[in-house]
Every structure is written in structure tokens, then in C-alpha cells.
Amino acid sequence: MVMPTRRERVVPRLIEDEMRESFLDYSMSVIVQRALPDVRDGLKPVHRRILYAMFDAGLIASRPYKKSATVVGDVLGKYHPHGDTAVYDALVRMVQDFSSRYPLIDGQGNFGSIDGDNAAAYRYTEARLTRLAGELLADIERNTVDFIPNFDDQREEPLVLPARFPNLLVNGSSGIAVGMATNIPPHNLREIGAAMRYLLDHPDASVDDLMRFVPGPDFPTGAFILGRQGIRDAYATGRGRMVMRAAVHKEVLRGGKEQLVVTGLPYGVSKVRVIEQIAGLAKAGKLPDAADLRDESDRDGMRIVIELKRGARIPTILTLLYKQTHLQATFGAIMLALDKGIPREMSLRAMLERFRDHRLEVIQRRTAYDRDEAVARAHIVDGLLIALDNIDKVIQIIRKSKNQEAAADKLRSTFQLSEAQAKAILAMRLGTLTALETTDLREELKALRKQIKELEAILKSEKRQREVLLEELDSVVQQFGDERRTTILDDDETLEVEDLEAEEQVVISLSHAGYIKRVPMALYRRRVARGKAQSGMDRYEDDFLEHVFVAGSADTLLFFSDKGDAYALAVHDVPEAGPTSRGRALAQVLTMARGSRVAALVAIDEFVEHRSLAFLTATGNIKRTTLNEFANIRTGGIAAIKLQKQDRVLDVQLLEPGTDIVIVTLQGRAIRFPESEVPTMGRVTQGVRGIGLRKGDGVVGMVVVRRDATLCTVTEEGYAKRTILSDYPAQKRGGLGTITLDVTERTGPLVAAKEVLDGDELMIIAANGDATRIKAPEIPVQGRATQGKRVLKLEIGNRVVEVARVAEERDDDDGPTGGEGPEPEASDGQTDGNSARDRNARRQKKGSQLELIDD
């Protein structure tokens, strides 16, 4: 045979045809094999190969870490014949919690930072799969997905992962192909799970229907999204433009200076770049009101501080920062993914439908696989039982056979067995000849037949397959779902300067002489940890703390005077001071009527109609008014209750539906009745009779029953006792009540009635100014018709004039812990505590308006 010459091997071809076909082949290779994710599992080939290689190597969440170099080497050598940098970069991104909403790889070592720092080289870092990544790979060995040969035909790799949750929407994806690009934002797992459930129940669901469950993207860095139109465009058409804005709040420093603090950046923005941009504006003279710029970020979170000069115009500064720095950025959503190998722009509904179809196929294939395995095993067990029922004959056949092949043929012909059954019988151990083993085999066969029946039912019912899909998706959501991080603002919703206040926990204290202050919770706790007293009131002999409690910085304080007026003061307007400072005179921050004194103080987070305030007067009248009546209190205050001459307000407390009220009198009478007995009235009303008073009697105080506790009563002569609140029978409002303490000449009249728990303490103040601190266990628990025990010895002519309670420090305390001095009231709320409403509900549930006093 004559070999062709070099010239004869050259095929003439127009260069434009060659370029066109080669470029198309290259383009499709980039699109399908590199840049775009698959809509079913949300992964590009490199990410899928990394996860599968780690799974194949046993690097699951319960196993030790291994060097990232090992993973990169396995991926390159077995599945992805490209650059090691590309593989390692993809691995790093799946580790970073500021890049992935739900990281799929658990890294150990330096994997970069939001500052833009690069990860350490792969020889220094270690990695393993997260538990969530295991849900993407679950059941992959049960014929759930197709496998294809790898690049050198030496092994196989999955074409797609089984994926128990919609990873494409949950973690998002981005990539640039040839002539097209994708940019899918991450979402909240709980919200996507709820939307998937709704779509399964309502196949014709619209975009607006789904947006009831998925209001928008949920970026790992939190911050804000401004407007909803861009989100809806993306969900409806596959393309949309979203404006992201950093989370910024204002802090007021001592001396009245202010600073702006950035605690969250738009997704994909480098913190170092933002700091450089702000510094550049300051150097260019465009930020004349900025005094200093600091990065105070630590392991607890981001904190970029812009310290401002006095009189700085914050709205103007923010407008400039949003326009000229990356504190405001745009996310251009392009919902492009591969659908059966073809790139398509898809709506939110289409993506959920593709995942649904994929997952149903996985369930069908897995169920068929399990059924076939069960059928095969049942077939073998059936053969073994036939052999055991005829064991003597089986042994005789085997002994007389020349070899295994002959024995197998004889067994098959004698008992009508299959080849697999015959081989299983020949492989049977002598130990299986026992009666117990025979019973076990019969039980196994029974269980296998039941399993086969159940699996067949799933295969025949699409409804049952959908139920399995939801069960598995709900399990993933329950294990790994969390709260939304990104806040979405409406188009017409703007952030006022007041809204920029940092929402934090603070300690509010008001002294008997009328000095008020707020202490940041962090500062309070630090001082407590050093064992130092909190109030610093020991330097002021004629003053002591009357009110100490925890409030949110976005809350409002309602002050109620003994003359029946209400005044409001925002928590962030309360002067900030150190733990040892006395604070500032209340008269300097709040305009109250001359001669008035504060009778009660309540912290409110939201003025809603379904919650109310209970007013108690010295003559025994009680009134309930809804909170919304106090929503807009003018500077000079408003009338809260109408009082008769010689009457005064004793106490004001928050009422929750279903609670009871206990009123106690000087002569030792008490009445308990449900809050529903008190009609709701307007502000300028007198109220109704709470308890009937005999001649010479008067009201001491009121307790709102919120929990199992004791009612502690203290007399003028220093007698005290505790009585279980459940001992007080519920009665109709307005009666004389029942006895709560046997008042005699020796005990003197009652001075105070307080709700007390075992870990609390009482501060008892005498007329001469002496203060005594008594632990609750030192006060005996006695029945109602007793005098109590003398807990305080008084000199002749001296008497008890005031009592305050110091709340126990508890594990669920919202306030400071440890140390001396008064501690704010504890909480036992069962809410997650992320919102101001939840925190306020917890505080009010235990009566945060505690009257406390320092020793």
C-alpha cells in the first residue's frame, strides 16, 4: 500500500468555515463544560467534580479533614484535566461563608476574607464536605443519576447530582461563557422550601404567588435591597436589576458626638475597597464632616467606623457615600442555566419546576433500584428456605455430586431453583442450619415482601412520590434552614436618620432623686465580669436606684406621673453614661409638670392596639387603656387618667391577654381577678373600682400575674412573708377581697407587695434612710392568714417606708450577669429574640419595669 504524501494529506478548506465551526465547538464546550450551572443541581462541572471526588475519597462531614492539595490532585487526575488554580479557586469559594449562602465545603485554614485577601496555597489548607453537601450527594450510589466516562475512560463521573434541595436558587451561581453570562443570586433555604411546597400543591402558581414565600434574594452578607420591581422582573423574566445598600447605623458618643458604623456590605463588595473609597473622598475634601475612619471588624462581625465632627449632616454624608462608594451597588440578575444541556433564561417558577422534575426522577430511579434489590434478595432468601426445608436431601445431592457445577445443576432440576438460588445454597454456611437462623430468614422474607409492596406503591403513585420529595426537602430545611439576613425595602420606604440608630440592648436606670442614664449592655457586662458594682450610687447618701431594666435602643420609654400624666422619651435620647456615673437629671431631658414625681416607667417597642396598660390609683380604682392611645405623646405630655381630688397614680403595668391582676391594701386585704374584668377605656377616664376599701384602708400596690411566683408582703414594722400566688382565688372585681396578711398593732400596716421568685432579693428602706438587702429564701413561705416573720429589727420610732425587688440573675437573662449591684429583670421568652418586638415581649412577660435599688 502506498502511503499518501504530506501534500495529499492536506484537505483544502475555506478559513471562514473552519473558524466558524471551531469557534462554535469551543463556545459550546465553554458553555456546557465550564461556565454555566445545571438547573437541576445548581453546579458547574468543576464544582460537581470537586464534590464527587471528595465524596469518593471519604471526605464527608464526620471524617477528618485532608489537605486541599489532595482534593485538587484527585480532581485533576480523575475528572477535570484543567488548571489546578481553577479547581482550587472553585473549592475556596464553596468554603467562604461570605460568598456562599450555605457553604458546601468545610475548610480549615486561611480561605480568604471579605477584605479581598486570597486564600493560602492548597498545601496549607484542609477541607471536607459539609453536612449540607451530603444532601446533594445522598443516594448517588443507588442508580439515581446517570454516569458518563471521564476524560480518559478510566472511570465514571456523575452527569448531575441527586440534590435533595434546589441548590441553584439557594446558593446562586455566576459565570461568563461565550456570548452569554449567568448571575443567579442566593436565597433563603426556608423560603425556597416553602415556595417548593406551594408549587407542588398549586402547579399553576404565578410569580406573585411564589413571591409570598420568596420575597427576594438573601445574600450571605446581609445588608439591604432597595425596591421590589427588579426582584419581580428577575423572577418573572429571568433578568432584573437590584440595588443593594450597606447596613449603616448611627451611634451617639459621649459629649454628643456621632459616628456612622457599617455592619454589612452589599454582596460581592470588598471591605478594603470600600475603606479605600471613603478615605479617598476624605482626602479629596468631599467629606469635610468626617473626623476619623477606622476598621474595628473582628471575629464577631464587620464594623467600619466613620467618626463625625460636631454638627455633621448625616443625610448629606450618606447620600454622598451611597453615590460614590460601593456602600451602594447593583446586582444584575441573569437567571441563566443549562436545561437538558441547552442554556435558557428561566423564571423562578421554571427553576422550581425543573428541580421538581429532576427530584421526582431521582425518587423513581431510587425506588426502582431499592425494589429490584429487595426482589433479588427475596428471591435468594426464598431459595435458602427451600433448601432448609429439604436440608437432608440437599446435603445428599451435594455429597454425591462430582463438583460444584454438577451440584448446582442437580439442585436446580430437583427443586426448580434459579442459578442464583443454587449458588446461594452452595455458599450457605453450616451455621445457617439452626432453627433460629431459619426463623430469622422467614422474618426477613416477610419484611422484604412488605418493603417490595411499599416500593411498588410509590412507583405507581405520583402523589406518593411528591410526598416523599416534600418529606426529604422538609428534613433538609429543618436541619439547615436559618433566618433571613437581607432586608428588602419597598420603593417608597426610606431610612430616616432615626432609623439608623443601632438596635442594641441597653440598661436604663432611674434614681429616686430623678437621675437617669443608659449604659450599653456590652459595657455593663464587661464591668460586671470584673466584679465591680454597677450603679455607683454609694457616693450619694440621699439617693438610690428606683428603676433598672433592659430595653432596646429603638424602644420608647413611657413615664407616668403620680398626677396622671404620661410622658415619652426615646431610649436613644436617654443620656449615655458610664456604669459608675449618676447620670443626668431627668428634668433636663424630659419636661414634666412641676411637683410631679414618676410613679411608673414602662419600655414599649410598638404601640399596638391588642396590648394595654393597667393603671392603679391610691383609692383602689383601676383602668385599662390600649397602647395605641399613647403612640404620639407631645413634648409636654398628655393626660393618661382622670383623678379625683386627693387621689394619685400608684402603678402602671403592661397587660397581656389572659393574665390576672392582684391588688393589695394597707390592712392586709388582697383581691385577684382576670384582666378581662377591667373594661377598656380612653385616656381621660377615671376607671372602675378595683377593690373595695374599708374605712382607714388604702391601696399598697398591684401585681400582674405572669408566671408561677410568690406574693411577698412587707409591713411597716419589718414583718414579711411570701405566699404562693395560686393560693389567691379568682374573684369578681370591686369586692373586699381576701386576707393576705394578718395585720396587727405589732406588725403595723402593709408597706409593699411584690412578686418574688426564689433567687430574688428585697431592698427594704427605713425612714431613717437605712437600707437592708434580704434574700428571698430568708423570707418564709406562709399561708394568707398569717403575720409573717420579722426580717428587720427597727429602732423605736423608726419604720419601713419603701421596698424594692432586685431580680435574680438567670441563664436566660437579657441583662448583665454576675457582680454586685442591681441586675435588670430577667426574661424567659421562647421567641428567637431577633426582633425588638420579641425582646420587648420577653421583658414584659416578666415585668421589666422592676423597681430596684442599690445597696
Side-chain angles (χ1 to χ4, degrees):
M1 181 178 179
V2 179
M3 297 293 294
T5 64
R6 176 178 297 181
R7 182 179 297 275
E8 291 172 336
R9 290 200 301 267
V10 175
V11 178
R13 185 173 174 81
L14 293 174
I15 190 170
E16 55 266 29
D17 293 339
E18 181 64 30
M19 288 295 293
R20 183 186 306 108
E21 292 182 12
S22 297
F23 187 75
L24 285 173
D25 291 341
Y26 167 75
S27 300
M28 288 306 299
S29 174
V30 171
I31 291 170
V32 176
Q33 295 297 323
R34 295 198 190 185
L36 300 184
D38 192 295
V39 70
R40 295 170 292 179
D41 62 4
L43 299 172
K44 301 177 187 179
V46 64
H47 300 106
R48 188 178 303 114
R49 288 163 176 168
I50 291 171
L51 296 178
Y52 182 69
M54 295 179 71
F55 175 79
D56 193 42
L59 292 179
I60 58 177
S62 58
R63 300 280 182 84
Y65 296 91
K66 280 193 176 181
K67 288 288 186 182
S68 300
T70 302
V71 178
V72 173
D74 281 351
V75 174
L76 292 179
K78 297 177 180 178
Y79 307 110
H80 198 73
H82 301 285
D84 60 340
T85 301
V87 173
Y88 187 52
D89 287 348
L91 184 151
V92 166
R93 187 172 177 83
M94 287 193 285
V95 173
Q96 294 171 338
D97 57 5
F98 53 88
S99 296
S100 298
R101 182 63 177 83
Y102 299 92
L104 299 176
I105 296 180
D106 179 14
Q108 186 167 263
N110 174 20
F111 280 91
S113 71
I114 198 170
D115 289 339
D117 300 326
N118 293 325
Y122 52 58
R123 61 181 178 274
Y124 298 118
T125 61
E126 297 178 333
R128 64 183 178 188
L129 295 175
T130 62
R131 290 172 52 234
L132 181 62
E135 302 296 337
L136 285 177
L137 292 148
D139 305 321
I140 196 170
E141 71 284 356
R142 294 161 71 181
N143 192 36
T144 51
V145 294
D146 292 333
F147 279 71
I148 57 175
N150 70 335
F151 64 91
D152 60 0
D153 289 337
Q154 297 299 308
R155 60 185 71 244
E156 290 187 329
E157 62 176 302
L159 192 61
V160 67
L161 297 187
R164 287 189 175 179
F165 64 96
N167 182 57
L168 181 60
L169 286 167
V170 168
N171 270 322
S173 184
S174 63
I176 299 176
V178 178
M180 60 185 68
T182 184
N183 199 25
I184 303 171
H187 293 79
N188 185 274
L189 178 58
R190 289 179 181 173
E191 295 173 355
I192 293 297
M196 188 72 246
R197 173 177 286 277
Y198 185 84
L199 183 64
L200 285 171
D201 294 336
H202 305 82
D204 297 328
S206 65
V207 172
D208 292 329
D209 292 334
L210 295 176
M211 286 189 68
R212 287 163 43 201
F213 306 95
V214 187
D218 188 21
F219 298 115
T221 52
F224 296 95
I225 296 177
L226 303 185
R228 300 179 186 271
Q229 187 58 46
I231 298 173
R232 194 187 185 287
D233 291 343
Y235 289 169
T237 67
R239 286 179 178 262
R241 179 178 177 273
M242 308 171 200
V243 178
M244 304 178 293
R245 180 173 287 182
V248 185
H249 68 258
K250 180 184 72 176
E251 292 182 351
V252 181
L253 305 175
R254 295 181 187 176
K257 294 183 68 176
E258 297 174 327
Q259 64 185 21
L260 295 176
V261 181
V262 180
T263 56
L265 290 176
Y267 183 55
V269 171
S270 166
K271 184 180 66 177
V272 169
R273 178 60 179 152
V274 168
I275 293 174
E276 290 174 351
Q277 289 174 332
I278 297 174
L281 290 175
K283 289 180 181 178
K286 296 182 179 181
L287 279 177
D289 290 334
D292 193 14
L293 175 64
R294 300 186 303 275
D295 183 5
E296 298 180 356
S297 305
D298 56 21
R299 65 176 60 188
D300 296 325
M302 180 185 301
R303 185 177 169 86
I304 303 172
V305 178
I306 307 170
E307 192 172 320
L308 305 177
K309 298 177 182 178
R310 293 183 186 276
R313 295 166 296 174
I314 292 179
T316 303
I317 295 172
L318 286 174
T319 301
L320 178 66
L321 291 175
Y322 290 145
K323 285 184 177 180
Q324 300 199 24
T325 72
H326 288 164
L327 289 180
Q328 180 167 302
T330 300
F331 187 96
I334 305 174
M335 314 280 275
L336 179 71
L338 293 174
D339 181 16
K340 297 180 181 179
I342 300 173
R344 300 183 192 277
E345 285 185 10
M346 286 176 277
S347 64
L348 174 64
R349 175 181 165 181
M351 286 189 169
L352 290 173
E353 287 176 337
R354 299 301 186 276
F355 171 78
R356 175 200 62 194
D357 297 342
H358 168 62
R359 192 62 197 162
L360 288 175
E361 181 183 351
V362 166
I363 291 171
Q364 292 165 4
R365 294 180 59 161
R366 181 187 65 194
T367 305
Y369 175 85
D370 291 343
R371 180 205 55 193
D372 293 344
E373 290 288 304
V375 168
R377 176 58 185 168
H379 181 65
I380 296 298
V381 173
D382 198 24
L384 293 177
L385 287 173
I386 292 174
L388 290 174
D389 290 340
N390 301 274
I391 190 62
D392 294 334
K393 192 170 184 180
V394 168
I395 293 174
Q396 185 180 8
I397 291 174
I398 294 174
R399 291 187 64 183
K400 290 182 178 181
S401 298
K402 183 177 180 180
N403 51 41
Q404 286 195 14
E405 288 76 9
D409 291 341
K410 186 65 175 175
L411 288 172
R412 288 162 56 192
S413 61
T414 304
F415 300 107
Q416 286 77 48
L417 301 175
S418 68
E419 184 176 352
Q421 288 175 321
K423 288 183 178 179
I425 293 171
L426 291 174
M428 188 168 52
R429 296 178 293 106
L430 291 175
T432 59
L433 302 180
T434 64
L436 182 60
E437 287 290 338
T438 303
T439 302
D440 290 343
L441 285 173
R442 294 189 190 282
E443 291 295 326
E444 182 184 358
L445 183 60
K446 182 179 178 181
L448 285 169
R449 286 172 176 168
K450 181 180 179 181
Q451 180 186 0
I452 292 168
K453 185 177 180 181
E454 292 174 351
L455 294 172
E456 290 283 4
I458 293 175
L459 285 172
K460 293 177 181 178
S461 171
E462 185 176 345
K463 179 182 178 182
R464 186 70 185 95
Q465 294 168 18
R466 291 170 180 264
E467 291 174 354
V468 173
L469 188 159
L470 282 178
E471 288 171 5
E472 295 176 347
L473 179 59
D474 287 346
S475 175
V476 174
V477 171
Q478 185 176 2
Q479 291 183 68
F480 305 102
D482 58 3
E483 295 298 323
R484 163 172 282 276
R485 299 180 188 176
T486 300
T487 302
I488 301 173
L489 303 176
D490 292 324
D491 293 327
D492 57 350
E493 191 173 352
T494 58
L495 291 175
E496 301 296 338
V497 176
E498 289 77 10
D499 296 332
L500 297 171
E501 291 287 350
E503 190 173 342
E504 60 178 350
Q505 296 289 84
V506 296
V507 178
I508 300 293
S509 63
L510 177 64
S511 76
H512 181 74
Y515 286 85
I516 192 170
K517 67 177 179 180
R518 67 181 167 100
V519 180
M521 182 64 72
L523 182 59
Y524 200 111
R525 282 199 169 107
R526 283 199 298 270
R527 188 168 180 84
V528 169
R530 297 172 186 150
K532 299 181 180 180
Q534 293 304 307
S535 65
M537 299 302 295
D538 53 343
R539 294 177 292 172
Y540 309 98
E541 296 181 359
D542 297 332
D543 200 6
F544 53 86
L545 293 183
E546 274 193 345
H547 304 269
V548 179
F549 56 89
V550 176
S553 59
D555 293 353
T556 300
L557 299 180
L558 292 184
F559 296 81
F560 298 95
S561 73
D562 58 347
K563 294 184 177 181
D565 296 322
Y567 305 87
L569 180 66
V571 169
H572 61 74
D573 287 336
V574 176
E576 184 176 330
T580 60
S581 170
R582 192 180 191 185
R584 186 180 300 179
L586 183 61
Q588 296 179 1
V589 295
L590 190 69
T591 305
M592 292 185 65
R594 185 182 298 274
S596 298
R597 63 175 293 273
V598 176
L601 175 58
V602 183
I604 305 297
D605 73 318
E606 190 174 8
F607 293 89
V608 291
E609 188 174 357
H610 67 271
R611 299 170 70 193
S612 56
L613 292 168
F615 294 78
L616 177 69
T617 73
T619 59
N621 283 349
I622 189 166
K623 189 188 77 163
R624 179 168 66 165
T625 304
T626 56
L627 266 180
N628 61 314
E629 294 270 353
F630 301 92
N632 299 300
I633 298 180
R634 54 182 176 266
T635 306
I638 59 174
I641 184 173
K642 184 178 180 181
L643 296 174
Q644 297 177 349
K645 289 184 178 180
Q646 307 304 321
D647 201 3
R648 59 190 175 88
V649 174
L650 280 184
D651 197 6
V652 181
Q653 293 197 35
L654 264 176
L655 277 184
E656 299 290 346
T659 55
D660 284 0
I661 300 171
V662 178
I663 301 176
V664 182
T665 73
L666 292 168
Q667 297 302 318
R669 306 293 295 181
I671 187 170
R672 175 175 180 169
F673 53 86
E675 51 84 24
S676 57
E677 288 270 320
V678 184
T680 301
M681 300 180 177
R683 288 188 293 104
V684 191
T685 54
Q686 293 184 2
V688 295
R689 175 63 59 188
I691 186 169
L693 298 176
R694 294 170 177 168
K695 187 176 180 180
D697 202 358
V699 175
V700 167
M702 165 179 64
V703 169
V704 176
V705 182
R706 300 182 178 91
R707 52 194 169 183
D708 293 331
T710 58
L711 179 66
C712 182
T713 47
V714 183
T715 72
E716 197 174 78
E717 296 298 327
Y719 283 79
K721 71 171 182 177
R722 293 183 294 152
T723 305
I724 300 173
L725 278 168
S726 58
D727 287 352
Y728 294 85
Q731 298 176 298
K732 285 188 175 294
R733 172 188 56 78
L736 294 174
T738 59
I739 189 170
T740 185
L741 188 141
D742 185 14
V743 173
T744 65
E745 187 176 344
R746 183 177 63 174
T747 64
L750 285 181
V751 175
K754 301 289 182 183
E755 181 194 36
V756 174
L757 297 176
D758 287 341
D760 295 340
E761 296 182 356
L762 287 182
M763 294 297 298
I764 302 178
I765 313 300
N768 63 359
D770 292 340
T772 304
R773 190 164 182 159
I774 298 175
K775 295 182 178 179
E778 297 177 11
I779 303 172
V781 178
Q782 298 179 351
R784 291 185 291 105
T786 57
Q787 293 183 351
K789 170 187 174 184
R790 185 187 288 274
V791 295
L792 186 65
K793 291 184 179 181
L794 300 169
E795 299 176 355
I796 297 175
N798 200 13
R799 61 188 176 88
V800 175
V801 295
E802 194 163 0
V803 178
R805 180 170 74 112
V806 180
E808 173 196 14
E809 124 188 41
R810 301 178 184 82
D811 291 338
D812 57 351
D813 195 356
D814 271 349
T817 56
E820 300 175 359
E823 289 134 10
E825 171 64 332
S827 86
D828 62 352
Q830 298 302 313
T831 54
D832 60 14
N834 289 331
S835 68
R837 178 182 302 178
D838 292 331
R839 290 196 303 273
N840 194 69
R842 293 202 307 274
R843 291 196 302 271
Q844 301 304 344
K845 187 175 182 182
K846 290 216 174 170
S848 66
Q849 45 194 325
L850 249 299
E851 292 187 3
L852 305 174
I853 191 167
D854 186 40
D855 56 355

